[in-house]
């Protein structure tokens, strides 16, 4: 976080009253922190909003304790970010495991439209690789504290209804994959994430009444229908259908929900 080649930074840390060695680590970096607190909160969404209320800068991002921003990420964002109008940026991201080793997965953003929200688990954008400016914050606001698992997706969608994002062709962050993460496939919270996501999509996408986005929504739904038809044909294929069934059995056996 400190190796950003960018001097004008605010670091705000909101800790939910940790009983491990988090406080000792925070105090070690206290000279570089704008503000920090360790106290019980009402959940992750509430904690994030508490942090944003302390921020006074022009560019915003939040970072969970298990994720990492790459060196010079802030510099790359500052160079690309517009400040005179609502703006948000999406960068690429690596995935790391519990031991901070790179996995084979990386997210390179080639497009971002309403299809991403319709098929989020397959098209998810790593949260720490997204930055936005004060103009957009003032227009949209912050996290919906009623959401426990889809608060970031909801915020990106509210951004999207006001302003399309700029895609940065560079890597900004590392997202850590582990069983305790809320959106890890087959992790202990995965089913709760899927349930909340399904309800969110129903409430926000399928009931969308924004006329400006309706053509894009129709195209997205047509794309989704085409993908489902292709998947059905694949499942019915003599060879690939059997392979997919075998893969499903192995996944369910070795990674129970």
């Amino acid at each position: 976080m400190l190796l950003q080649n960018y001097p004008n930074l605010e670091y705000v840390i909101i800790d939910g009253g940790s009983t491990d060695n988090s406080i000792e680590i925070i105090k070690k970096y206290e000279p570089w922190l704008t503000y920090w607190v360790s106290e019980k909160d009402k959940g992750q969404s509430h904690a994030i909003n508490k942090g944003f209320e302390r921020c006074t800068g022009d560019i915003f991002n939040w970072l969970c304790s298990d994720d990492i921003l790459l060196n010079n990420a802030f510099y790359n964002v500052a160079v690309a970010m517009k400040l005179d109008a609502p703006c948000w940026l999406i960068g690429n991201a690596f995935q790391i495991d519990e031991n901070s080793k790179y996995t084979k997965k990386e997210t390179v953003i080639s497009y971002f439209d309403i299809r991403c929200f319709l098929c989020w688990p397959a098209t998810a954008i790593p949260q720490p690789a997204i930055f936005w400016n004060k103009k957009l914050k003032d227009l949209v606001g912050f996290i919906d504290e009623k959401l426990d698992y889809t608060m970031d997706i909801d915020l990106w969608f509210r951004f999207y209804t006001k302003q399309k994002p700029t895609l940065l062709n560079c890597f900004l962050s590392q997202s850590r994959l582990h069983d305790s993460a809320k959106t890890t496939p087959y992790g202990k919270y995965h089913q709760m994430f899927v349930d909340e996501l399904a309800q969110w999509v129903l409430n926000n996408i399928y009931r969308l009444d924004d006329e400006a986005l309706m053509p894009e929504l129709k195209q997205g739904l047509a794309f989704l229908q085409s993908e489902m038809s292709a998947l059905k044909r694949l499942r019915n294929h003599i060879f690939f259908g059997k392979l997919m069934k075998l893969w499903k059995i192995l996944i369910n056996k070795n990674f129970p929900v």
Side-chain angles (χ1 to χ4, degrees):
M1 282 286 287
L2 297 175
L3 302 176
Q4 289 297 332
N5 191 25
Y6 191 80
N8 191 19
L9 302 176
E10 288 183 330
Y11 293 112
V12 175
I13 295 181
I14 307 297
D15 179 74
S18 297
T19 57
D20 54 15
N21 64 335
S22 296
I23 304 303
E24 287 74 16
I25 295 174
I26 292 173
K27 288 182 176 180
K28 177 181 176 181
Y29 293 96
E30 193 167 17
W32 295 278
L33 303 181
T34 303
Y35 173 84
W36 74 272
V37 67
S38 179
E39 62 186 14
K40 189 168 181 59
D41 52 52
K42 300 175 184 177
Q44 184 183 11
S45 297
H46 176 236
I48 294 169
N49 281 345
K50 283 173 59 179
F52 283 142
E53 288 171 359
R54 292 279 177 172
C55 296
T56 64
D58 293 315
I59 302 174
F60 295 81
N61 168 272
W62 85 82
L63 189 71
C64 296
S65 60
D66 49 1
D67 296 328
I68 298 172
L69 288 175
L70 297 176
N71 294 352
N72 294 319
F74 288 178
Y75 175 81
N76 290 327
V77 168
V79 169
M81 181 72 75
K82 298 177 181 177
L83 299 180
D84 58 348
C87 178
W88 59 304
L89 310 176
I90 301 177
N92 302 327
F94 295 109
Q95 185 182 91
I96 56 177
D97 62 19
E98 293 181 346
N99 300 312
S100 298
K101 295 191 181 294
Y102 284 98
T103 70
K104 293 182 179 180
K105 183 177 180 182
E106 59 184 43
T107 302
V108 177
I109 312 302
S110 58
Y111 74 93
F112 189 85
D113 57 33
I114 208 161
R115 289 175 294 173
C116 295
F117 297 104
L118 288 168
C119 312
W120 190 265
T123 55
I125 309 300
Q127 167 266 314
I130 298 181
F131 292 75
W132 60 101
N133 69 4
K134 188 176 185 298
K135 293 280 188 182
L136 188 58
K137 182 271 291 184
D138 291 342
L139 184 64
V140 173
F142 287 138
I143 299 293
D144 183 347
E145 295 181 14
K146 297 189 296 294
L147 299 173
D148 294 316
Y149 300 93
T150 58
M151 63 283 195
D152 53 347
I153 306 171
D154 177 74
L155 185 62
W156 312 150
F157 185 68
R158 285 188 279 134
F159 285 174
Y160 191 78
T161 61
K162 302 299 183 183
Q163 178 66 43
K164 301 299 187 293
T166 297
L167 307 184
L168 294 185
N169 186 27
C170 62
F171 284 86
L172 299 179
S173 68
Q174 299 170 334
S175 294
R176 195 181 306 273
L177 184 68
H178 56 86
D179 288 342
S180 296
K182 287 184 175 181
T183 57
T184 298
Y186 306 104
K188 62 181 181 179
Y189 297 107
H190 184 66
Q191 189 58 52
M192 289 179 280
F193 163 68
V194 170
D195 291 344
E196 186 173 283
L197 178 60
Q199 187 63 53
W200 182 88
V201 170
L202 177 63
N203 292 341
N204 293 276
I205 305 296
Y206 288 107
R207 296 174 184 171
L208 185 67
D209 59 359
D210 188 330
E211 292 186 6
L213 289 177
M214 286 308 295
E216 188 177 332
L217 176 58
K218 291 178 181 178
Q219 292 176 357
L221 291 172
F223 168 80
L224 185 60
Q225 186 65 43
S226 175
E227 292 288 298
M228 292 174 64
S229 297
L231 181 59
K232 183 177 180 180
R233 290 195 298 272
L234 194 61
R235 284 174 176 168
N236 292 334
H237 191 278
I238 294 176
F239 172 72
F240 290 109
K242 290 182 179 180
L243 191 62
M244 290 175 69
K245 289 179 181 178
L246 177 61
W247 178 248
K248 182 178 180 180
I249 292 171
L250 290 173
I251 288 293
N252 290 336
K253 179 180 178 181
N254 293 289
F255 301 95
V257 176

